[in-house]
Amino acid sequence: MEEIERFRLSTRVLHWAIVIFTCLLGASGLCIYISQIGGWVGQGGYVGYIHRVCAILFVLSAVIYLVTNFKSSIKFLKEAFVWGLSDLGWALAAPDYYFGGDPEKMPPQEHINTGQKLYWLAVIIGVVVFLVTGILMWAFRDIVSESVFMWSLLIHDVAFIGAMVMVALHLYLGSIHPVMTESLKSMVTGKASIEYCEHHHGRWLRHELKKKESES
Amino acid sequence: MTEKALLIDVSKCTGCRACQVACKEWNGLPAVETTCTGTYENPPDLSPDTWNKIKFTEIGSTSDGTMRWLFRSERCLHCTDASCVEVCPTGAVYHHELGFVAYDRTKCTGCGYCTQYCPFNIPQLSGNKLTGMQKMDKCTFCLDRVANGLEPACSKACPTGAISFGNRGDLILKGSSRVNDLKSNGYSNAYLYGEHELGGLHTMYVLDEKPEVYGLPADPQYVPGYEVVRQDILKPLGWALIAAAAGGFALNFLVSRSRMVKAGKKEEE
């Protein structure tokens, strides 16, 4: 079966690095959030240390990617904020499509579809919220007023609940949902079959094939 | 069990700091090197190695025009409505059955919420701020002594009887009668601090001036509804959302799978 590259190696490395740091951040955060785990794991005070180190590595990996892949990063970042009529087409077709309806009714999608774009936007907003509130509680603890600290903590918690649900959704759609047969595979190997891309990222595929033709 | 408490009569305190030293001695806390800032108050603040210290206050213009030098042993007030207990996420800070606020250092993750919300700024974090590998320390009410039938080190050491240890109810009576004595002796602002504050403190003060003069908030506030929101609304909401998501995914999987199988069969036909 003919395949086409979906994600470059650097993109995949970033994705899986983010996966590891997100899991560690979530787990160490839960230790402070849930008393039963916290009392047990809290010994030694390593939990906060792991949380901080992972936050730094998370940001660092994103920054390294941004610097080394500047052009495509900016393009990808912009993608989250450009919305049009085609997104409405996705939204109208999505309920049926994601409940096993006829895939032909879904309008052809870009490199990432509208749903993935929504997730991407949520990730950007989430990271900013986590970072701002986290840094306030970490570096500026002695400077900010009690109410700023209180709100930071509350917002950090709300963001965590939101992120937990979004990550669960991402995990389900990416690797379990019966329609998404090659989503996980493409993030591991970098490639997906032409057939899969036709169904899932039609507009992008046409564009890519044209580019290849003109190159050869 | 009968609640225990400490009653600190500042009108009997001479600022000798025997309690400060006894606290360090009994709890094995090292001395802190400081620089002279023109006051006998030393060290300047509570720290992970200083759980009890005398706060020195000079007031120059009393009603009769004389100068006064005030002393108050500053340490954990062991509140009944204790913010630190409420906000501690791991249950490391807890109410002891004798009424005071104890803590289990091994359970402390160093999050420092207790240091943020204490209305008296008592809990102190030691360790590295940058790494977050910290631990909280504060007055333990000499848990080890009290649990074995001894009085705390500070009250044992006090030479003037300014610090007394006993059943909280008895100490309230003792404190009230002392306040009345002070009032009849011209200290019109005399007040028993801690009888009602924050549900009742387990370190109470007989004050001969207003609380603010001694650096105590006149109306200390318990942590606002924030923690209630976190514990009683946010946490269940989080779990409910995750459960709903898991259920939704399972339903979605079954529905879409069966519809796809059906559609596949039709195509074959």
Side-chain angles (χ1 to χ4, degrees), chain B residues 3 34 49 53 82-83 115 163 173 188 192 197 261 265 267:
Chain B
E3 285 187 22
T34 54
D49 291 328
K53 68 156 251 245
S83 301
T115 65
I163 307 177
L173 293 178
S188 55
L192 178 60
E197 281 76 8
V261 169
K265 267 184 192 159
E267 229 165 71

Side-chain angles (χ1 to χ4, degrees), chain A residues 21 24-25 27-28 41 45-57, chain B residues 131 133:
Chain A
F21 300 140
L24 287 171
L25 277 166
S28 54
V41 189
Y46 290 102
V47 174
Y49 185 48
I50 293 169
H51 201 71
R52 285 161 174 82
V53 168
C54 288
I56 290 171
L57 292 177
Chain B
T131 61
M133 288 171 75

Side-chain angles (χ1 to χ4, degrees), chain A residues 33 161, chain B residues 225 227-239:
Chain A
Y33 193 72
I161 291 172
Chain B
E227 195 54 28
V228 181
V229 170
R230 228 165 87 88
Q231 299 286 344
D232 297 350
I233 300 174
L234 216 54
K235 273 188 192 175
L237 184 76
W239 294 123

Side-chain angles (χ1 to χ4, degrees), chain B residues 102-118:
Chain B
Y103 63 99
D104 179 352
R105 214 168 182 270
T106 57
K107 280 188 180 175
C108 177
T109 59
C111 71
Y113 300 166
C114 54
T115 65
Q116 289 288 330
Y117 300 123
C118 174

Side-chain angles (χ1 to χ4, degrees), chain B residues 126-185:
Chain B
S126 63
N128 193 325
K129 268 187 194 174
L130 199 64
T131 61
M133 288 171 75
Q134 294 173 295
K135 290 277 177 187
M136 183 279 281
D137 277 302
K138 68 168 192 72
C139 160
T140 64
F141 211 88
C142 282
L143 174 61
D144 44 359
R145 293 176 62 93
V146 172
N148 287 295
L150 296 169
E151 62 179 313
C154 55
S155 64
K156 177 89 183 162
C158 182
T160 65
I163 307 177
S164 35
F165 168 76
N167 294 334
R168 188 163 183 275
D170 300 342
L171 291 178
I172 289 174
L173 293 178
K174 186 178 175 183
S176 304
S177 97
R178 178 65 182 163
V179 164
N180 288 335
D181 286 353
L182 286 167
K183 276 189 174 159
S184 58
N185 276 308

